[in-house]
Amino acid sequence: LDSLDGVMDSNNVPHTQEEDLDDLSFLVKLHSEDNDTLRLINYYPVDGSYDSQMGNRCKEHSDYGTITLLSTDGISGLEAYHECEDDTGKWYPVPYVKGSIVVNIGSILSEWTKGKMLATLHRVAGPASNKSLSAPKDLIMASRQARTSIAFFADPNKNTNMTNGMSISEYIQYRSGGNGSDRSGVGFTTDEQNRVYGSRR
């Protein structure tokens, strides 16, 4: 909670008073309904005859909740987007540290802090992924192996509102592309898309 000191404003979080932010359990209360998801994610290996032509194993996106806790098996490919001083952006490999947890900022927390905490834009890259700073040989080797990760997605209570008036439930349904198997999720918010694909690129 200390890391949010000074970046959250009661005006950013609908139905929240300034004194609420002084409560150390403030964020816990916004997640009291256990509206969370734990996913085991598997990436299958590809045939070695065309692995060097393989693009992203998981598309570029942000997570739409508040935070994501991610445990990986150390197979290369996880990358995070970073804007550089020269006004360009690159995809940097996320280093693997055994026993560690990767923490991603989600779009909802980014909105609640008015962008003071930016959503983590990330992907699982392949050898042909654009603007990757991962070593090509590492991505080729990774594409030939199964890759497994475990992700815990923390989402606020369903009836908590976004600043645009959507409930969390409505926002998640929008970002995930609806219900059922025939759906296509929205990878980025408009602001996040501009960070990666804006006219300055």
Side-chain angles (χ1 to χ4, degrees):
L1 185 63
D2 289 343
S3 64
L4 299 179
D5 186 32
V7 300
M8 289 194 75
D9 185 309
S10 60
N11 293 323
N12 302 358
V13 187
H15 310 301
T16 301
Q17 304 300 317
E18 193 63 36
E19 56 269 21
D20 294 333
L21 301 182
D22 296 327
D23 184 351
L24 292 179
S25 62
F26 167 67
L27 285 179
V28 175
K29 290 176 180 177
L30 289 176
H31 295 76
S32 62
E33 294 175 354
D34 297 323
N35 186 32
D36 310 307
T37 304
L38 182 66
R39 291 181 184 166
L40 177 64
I41 306 170
N42 184 51
Y43 303 85
Y44 292 98
V46 299
D47 187 311
S49 62
Y50 62 90
D51 53 13
S52 63
Q53 304 169 34
M54 181 182 185
N56 294 335
R57 300 178 81 179
C58 178
K59 73 178 184 178
E60 301 157 353
H61 67 284
S62 64
D63 297 331
Y64 40 74
T66 46
I67 63 168
T68 300
L69 306 179
L70 182 69
S71 175
T72 73
D73 59 4
I75 302 298
S76 299
L78 180 62
E79 296 182 338
Y81 186 79
H82 177 67
E83 290 98 330
C84 305
E85 291 183 3
D86 62 358
D87 223 19
T88 63
K90 298 286 186 182
W91 292 91
Y92 287 76
V94 176
Y96 173 71
V97 179
K98 187 176 181 179
S100 66
I101 297 290
V102 176
V103 180
N104 289 339
I105 301 297
S107 297
I108 291 174
L109 185 55
S110 183
E111 181 186 280
W112 284 353
T113 62
K114 289 192 174 178
K116 292 178 182 176
M117 299 182 74
L118 291 174
T120 307
L121 312 184
H122 57 289
R123 68 184 184 185
V124 177
S129 293
N130 192 33
K131 296 187 177 181
S132 173
L133 293 182
S134 297
K137 65 179 179 59
D138 291 341
L139 295 180
I140 290 174
M141 289 180 61
S143 69
R144 297 174 181 173
Q145 302 177 70
R147 184 181 187 279
T148 303
S149 60
I150 301 174
F152 177 80
F153 300 95
D155 297 325
N157 298 341
K158 293 180 180 179
N159 290 328
T160 304
N161 285 340
M162 304 283 290
T163 55
N164 62 10
M166 277 187 178
S167 69
I168 294 300
S169 180
E170 291 168 335
Y171 180 72
I172 290 174
Q173 184 167 336
Y174 158 69
R175 283 292 304 270
S176 62
N179 297 314
S181 59
D182 185 20
R183 67 184 194 180
S184 177
V186 178
F188 293 135
T189 66
T190 300
D191 287 343
E192 293 162 2
Q193 184 167 312
N194 287 339
R195 286 169 58 190
V196 180
Y197 305 116
S199 57
R200 66 179 184 173
R201 307 282 183 253

